[in-house]
Amino acid sequence: ENREDMVSSRSNRLTEALEEANKLFSGVSCAREAVLDAQFLVLASNLGKEKASELHSEMTAFDSLAFAEDLLTFMEINRMEVEENGSDSEGFSGGYLPSNAWQKLGVESEKYFRRAPTFHYMLGSFKSDPPEPRQTIVRQRKAAGGEAKRAMPAQLKKMEESHQEATEKEVERILGIVQTHFKNDPGTPISFFDLVVDPNSFARTVENIFHVSFIIRDGLARLKLDDDKLPIIEPSKDGEGKKNDYSAGARNQVVISLNQQEWK
């Protein structure tokens, strides 16, 4: 009902209503009363927005004529005296401004402007010369065949040598077992599976087959089939292994398939 009176910039009715609402809110105990208070805050905020938009800002308006008059006064010009004494008075250029008017204004206005910092190099002078062209590096072609030797780390090479030594020792150990068995009982051959199968380790069984293959390859022992068509192993006689080693017809390669189920 009093919207125009509250929106007016000369009235404090809106402030008084807000203070009264704050006092009433301290006694609110029902939800309906809280809703009414919220509705009043929405209405008061809208009225405050309208009141702020209608505020006049003449105090900050720029008057170009008044500014020009202030400049002329700062430049020590009294227009009334100029009109009385005439426009051709001494010390004035163009009838109004003294010869040093703009210089005086520039010296005064210089105090109110921030200057940009002077440019300087943090790391000394800057070389404006263009960068030197990079030299093109011609890559050498890799040598063909076995001429190019790859560098191998010492630790890796040492590990391979130790692994090879361990393999050779294991092959010699197995060969010694076969030879010792035949020396003690020449008439009883050794079953190949009894020799290589480890009942407690599938991996160890595969390693044993791998090591025995070196003995067969070098002709130090040979494999045969017994009456039950099961493989048996026996050491080669002196000179027989070397003879068979160089005979192409006597050497055959066999791939053995063995899984964990068969091993068990």
Side-chain angles (χ1 to χ4, degrees), residues 15 30 59 64 80 130 141 160 181 190 193 209 234 245:
T15 305
C30 299
M59 60 183 69
S64 59
M80 298 299 295
R141 295 182 178 179
E160 290 183 353
H181 176 78
I190 302 177
F193 293 114
I209 296 175
E234 61 181 9
D245 190 21

Side-chain angles (χ1 to χ4, degrees), residues 161-234:
E161 291 178 354
S162 62
H163 179 70
Q164 184 177 1
E165 292 177 359
T167 302
E168 292 176 356
K169 291 181 179 179
E170 188 66 20
V171 171
E172 293 177 358
R173 187 183 70 85
I174 296 177
L175 179 60
I177 293 175
V178 175
Q179 292 176 348
T180 302
H181 176 78
F182 269 85
K183 185 178 180 180
N184 297 331
D185 191 3
T188 305
I190 302 177
S191 171
F192 175 75
F193 293 114
D194 290 343
L195 177 67
V196 298
V197 173
D198 187 342
N200 301 320
S201 175
F202 174 74
R204 184 64 179 171
T205 301
V206 175
E207 289 182 359
N208 291 337
I209 296 175
F210 172 71
H211 293 145
V212 171
S213 65
F214 287 100
I215 301 175
I216 306 301
R217 183 199 65 180
D218 296 337
L220 301 175
R222 59 183 178 179
L223 286 175
K224 297 191 303 183
L225 296 179
D226 58 5
D227 297 337
D228 298 328
K229 301 299 180 180
L230 294 176
I232 58 175
I233 184 172
E234 61 181 9

